[in-house]
Structures are given as C-alpha cells and as structure tokens.
Amino acid sequence: MVAGVLVGTTEVIAALSLATLIFSGSLASFLPYGVAMALISATILLAGISLVSRIPAVVASVQDSPAVVLAVMAAGIATALSASAPETVLATVLVALAIATTLTGGACLVLGHFKLGRLVRFVPYPVIGGFLAGTGWLLVTGSFGVMSIMP
C-alpha cells in the first residue's frame, strides 16, 4: 500500500510537470485542460499496466521524452494557428495529442503482439544517443521556460 501511494504521488508530480511543459508559452492559458488530460492519462496508464501486465508487481510511469516531442508539436501547432480563435487552437492541439498518443500506442501493441522488440538492437547507438541528447536539451530549455513563469 505504501509503495502504491508513493508511486501515485510521484506520478501526479510528473504528470503535472509534463503538462506544464506541453502547455507552456502561448498555450499557458489552457493549462487546466492539460493538467486534467495528464492526470487522467497517468491514471489510465498506471491502472491499465498494473491490471493487464503478465509480470507481477510491475509499475508504469509517464515518460518525459515523448512529452518533449509532444510539447514541440503543440508549440508548432499553436504558432501556426496563432491567428485563429483560441478554441480552435485548443481543439487542434488536443486532437493532435490524442492522435499521436493513439498511433504510438497502436505501434507498441503491434510490436508487442508480433514480438518485434528485438528490432531495437538494429538501431545504431549514435542514433539513440542523438535522440536522448536532443530530448535532454529540449527538457533543459523547456524547464527554464516553465520555471520562469510568473503567476
């Protein structure tokens, strides 16, 4: 029970910070929608993995690397639609996030169903290192933007 409370608390903090990262800048006025979406997604992730996993006592967690990519995507959409109504921007960003999440989940299901996880061995280390360095850089620059927001 204690482990569940600790993991849940950690996930709430992580979900809030990643939602703040995605809905920063010109999307900051829509942060409550992002927080609600992040908390519901984290709850579904934690409950779903713990209930359907074949490995007992497995714990899932929200990830920061996809959140950085989603933040860049959301910022690009908000910039492209800056002349549109705010409701249009919000709806477009939410639909784009939902589509990206659904496609990624579907790809992971297909890879898992056909046991294709071994294909990761063929991705060169410099590619993985570049991806991790790029997401790390985006996390650092995004965190300064989030930390400097004045209420």
Side-chain angles (χ1 to χ4, degrees):
M1 189 67 145
V2 173
V5 170
L6 290 175
V7 169
T9 303
T10 303
E11 289 306 307
V12 166
I13 294 169
L16 290 176
S17 64
L18 295 177
T20 305
L21 178 65
I22 294 172
F23 286 88
S24 62
S26 61
L27 294 171
S29 61
F30 303 121
L31 183 59
Y33 293 101
V35 168
M37 184 176 65
L39 291 176
I40 291 169
S41 299
T43 302
I44 291 170
L45 171 74
L46 291 171
I49 294 296
S50 66
L51 293 175
V52 301
S53 176
R54 295 180 190 167
I55 303 169
V58 71
V59 177
S61 177
V62 294
Q63 297 293 308
D64 53 357
S65 296
V68 171
V69 174
L70 293 176
V72 170
M73 180 185 70
I77 291 171
T79 302
L81 297 177
S82 60
S84 301
E87 295 81 19
T88 304
V89 174
L90 175 65
T92 306
V93 167
L94 291 179
V95 168
L97 292 173
I99 289 172
T101 303
T102 304
L103 289 176
T104 303
C108 288
L109 282 173
V110 168
L111 289 172
H113 179 72
F114 292 111
K115 301 187 187 311
L116 299 174
R118 294 183 182 169
L119 292 177
V120 174
R121 295 182 303 167
F122 299 111
V123 178
Y125 287 118
V127 172
I128 294 172
F131 176 76
L132 292 176
T135 56
W137 176 255
L138 289 173
L139 276 172
V140 168
T141 57
S143 66
F144 284 121
V146 169
M147 289 187 294
S148 65
I149 295 174
M150 300 294 280

